[in-house]
Amino acid sequence: MEIRELVHQIHSSGYGFVLAVTGGGTEALGELLRYGGGSATLLEAMVPYSPQSLDAFIGKEPEKYASVITARAMAMAAFQKAMILQASGQKGSEHLLGIGATCTLARTGERKGRQHELHMAVQSLRSTTTYSIRFLEKRDREHEETIVARSIINMIASACGMDVIITDGTGLSFHERPQVERAQVTGAIADMLLHEADPSSRVPSCVNMSGQKRYTHRSHRVIFPGSFDPCHENHVEMAQVAYRKYGLPVDFEISLLNVDKPPIDYISLEERISSIKVRHGPVPMGDIFVTNAPLFAEKAIIFPESTFIVGADTIKRLFDPRYYRPGDSLSSLLELFRTKGIDFLVFSRKGIQIEIPAEAGPIVTMVPEEEYCDHGISSTQIRRSQQSKR
């Protein structure tokens, strides 16, 4: 199929999308607008080319800029923007897409053995899909740019429901076919993402991974909230201490939404849940909950009569006004925790000074160092190690 026809079909698909590309791929934007009709689908396009611009776009500094993880973060940030732009538009949320693409291409004076690669991601309300290509043939920059542009357009066409082969017309060799990964979620989790675009319409809620929308009430729960990206031995040690103290199974909670970053994409969500299931080992497993509650005030509403397991970094954020709900103060936050029956089991970490407001003392229990061994490992270290092996 000629690219002109493919682009016309995209513009007639009924979808709308925001496109973000970096490291290359800007020719795709030119092709999408070259033949007219682009306003039917392209809501916005952006090129966060510098590291500072990309960091601001996805809300963090990635471990690696040209990676499938970064492409997913870009796609989610783009999807957020698409929902905002279409809040009062004609397209329904089911027909909105966020497209992210990041690549490392040929350049003058590059070091020998530098890997040329393209990572693309599509975020929709119900799914996250990625396509990764490692260029194995020797080509110049211009040729690689053409391949990247065509690959991005084919990916967009596929996301718009068209029956296309992602490598069609790209000039890729047989050994350079893209690696594809996809994750889908239930309607309940998709609803959390849908209401994220309008926080005023958000009602704190949770989904447990056995498929029930609400958890079975117990008079007391032990909840371990975190990103678990991934879950590691320190998390397991903390859960074991809590189990020995309370004699209750430990429930894990992951918030799909974040305070200062885009929501978690669905592939990442699957990976984090899997890491908990693999790691929990001797700790009696309760439920694993996915919530739309990035703030502890919201978690308290979902999980009354609970003890929250938190680390040193988290307890510092808990009493930081930047992480309060609009209109909240320290006194109103503590009153909410009191009325909801919430308290905190706090674990220290090497090199971090923990200062807790005196008013919060009655609801905070510090774990003595002799009861908990901080192994000095972090999720960030694990992620960087995993990235270096890819």
Side-chain angles (χ1 to χ4, degrees):
M1 180 183 294
E2 290 186 0
I3 195 166
R4 176 193 294 266
E5 183 181 352
L6 190 59
V7 169
H8 280 314
Q9 288 193 22
I10 289 172
H11 294 331
S12 301
S13 67
Y15 280 81
F17 57 87
V18 170
L19 171 65
V21 297
T22 188
T26 54
E27 287 186 16
L29 176 58
E31 295 290 355
L32 287 167
L33 299 179
R34 190 185 308 278
Y35 311 107
S39 61
T41 55
L42 186 61
L43 304 175
E44 185 174 336
M46 55 199 74
V47 185
Y49 203 77
S50 71
Q52 297 88 341
S53 178
L54 185 58
D55 294 352
F57 181 60
I58 64 175
K60 62 181 180 180
E61 180 182 345
E63 266 88 39
K64 184 180 178 183
Y65 284 91
S67 73
V68 69
I69 295 173
T70 301
R72 295 197 312 245
M74 293 173 68
M76 180 59 83
F79 182 71
Q80 275 188 301
K81 190 63 181 289
M83 288 196 295
I84 292 170
L85 293 173
Q86 280 297 296
S88 59
Q90 300 300 311
K91 292 179 171 58
S93 299
E94 296 284 352
H95 286 81
L96 291 178
L97 303 169
I99 313 290
T102 177
C103 51
T104 301
L105 304 181
R107 68 184 184 193
T108 303
E110 67 180 4
R111 61 176 171 77
K112 186 177 181 180
R114 180 170 173 266
Q115 178 66 59
H116 300 176
E117 55 193 334
L118 166 64
H119 301 282
M120 305 174 286
V122 179
Q123 181 66 49
S124 71
L125 186 62
R126 292 180 178 269
S127 68
T128 305
T129 307
T130 65
Y131 305 83
S132 292
I133 301 170
R134 290 184 180 273
F135 299 133
L136 303 176
E137 304 291 332
K138 186 172 178 57
R139 304 178 179 92
D140 59 23
R141 175 69 179 232
E142 186 176 357
H143 192 181
E144 287 185 345
E145 285 279 11
T146 300
I147 291 173
V148 167
R150 181 68 190 208
S151 297
I152 291 172
I153 290 171
N154 275 338
M155 178 188 68
I156 294 172
S158 179
C160 291
M162 299 165 55
D163 186 16
V164 296
I165 300 173
I166 198 69
T167 54
D168 180 41
T170 61
L172 294 169
S173 70
F174 175 81
H175 299 290
E176 295 175 312
R177 291 180 180 271
Q179 296 180 347
V180 182
E181 187 175 7
R182 188 170 192 208
Q184 291 182 284
V185 297
T186 63
I189 293 180
D191 284 345
M192 293 180 182
L193 184 60
L194 178 63
H195 292 295
E196 191 275 340
D198 180 13
S200 64
S201 71
R202 189 171 80 229
V203 176
S205 62
C206 70
V207 179
N208 74 30
M209 302 322 292
S210 63
Q212 301 172 19
K213 191 157 188 176
R214 294 287 178 186
Y215 66 91
T216 302
H217 180 73
R218 292 201 299 263
S219 58
H220 182 209
R221 277 185 175 262
V222 179
I223 308 287
F224 195 168
S227 59
F228 303 109
D229 185 22
C231 183
H232 55 71
E233 60 185 301
N234 271 7
H235 296 134
V236 175
E237 174 75 13
M238 292 163 73
Q240 287 175 326
V241 170
Y243 172 68
R244 290 195 296 267
K245 182 174 179 62
Y246 300 105
L248 293 172
V250 175
D251 299 322
F252 290 76
E253 181 260 350
I254 300 174
S255 175
L256 182 71
L257 310 185
N258 288 286
V259 175
D260 44 19
K261 293 183 287 189
I264 301 170
D265 69 84
Y266 301 148
I267 293 175
S268 293
L269 183 61
E270 272 193 358
E271 292 172 345
R272 297 177 192 201
I273 291 170
S274 295
S275 77
I276 294 172
K277 290 179 177 178
V278 168
R279 274 282 184 183
H280 83 274
V283 181
M285 173 66 75
D287 285 309
I288 301 175
F289 294 108
V290 175
T291 74
N292 63 349
L295 302 175
F296 273 93
E298 296 166 329
K299 298 182 199 296
I301 293 170
I302 300 172
F303 303 112
E305 304 298 327
S306 293
T307 295
F308 287 106
I309 301 172
V310 297
D313 291 330
T314 302
I315 198 68
K316 288 172 67 176
R317 291 194 297 270
L318 175 59
F319 298 113
D320 184 333
R322 290 177 299 174
Y323 297 92
Y324 292 176
R325 296 174 303 175
D328 263 346
S329 63
L330 177 60
S331 60
S332 66
L333 184 64
L334 292 175
E335 177 62 16
L336 173 67
F337 292 153
R338 187 190 66 77
T339 58
K340 293 295 183 180
I342 301 299
D343 66 337
F344 298 88
L345 185 65
V346 181
F347 291 79
S348 60
R349 199 169 121 201
K350 292 177 181 177
I352 294 184
Q353 182 77 22
I354 299 177
E355 295 181 0
I356 297 170
E359 305 96 309
I363 62 169
V364 173
T365 300
M366 299 295 300
V367 177
E369 290 186 11
E370 59 269 20
E371 291 185 20
Y372 166 67
C373 178
D374 179 1
H375 299 282
I377 193 169
S378 71
S379 296
T380 301
Q381 291 171 330
I382 294 172
R383 290 195 304 272
R384 285 174 177 167
S385 175
Q386 291 171 342
Q387 287 277 1
S388 67
K389 294 175 183 177
R390 292 180 178 176

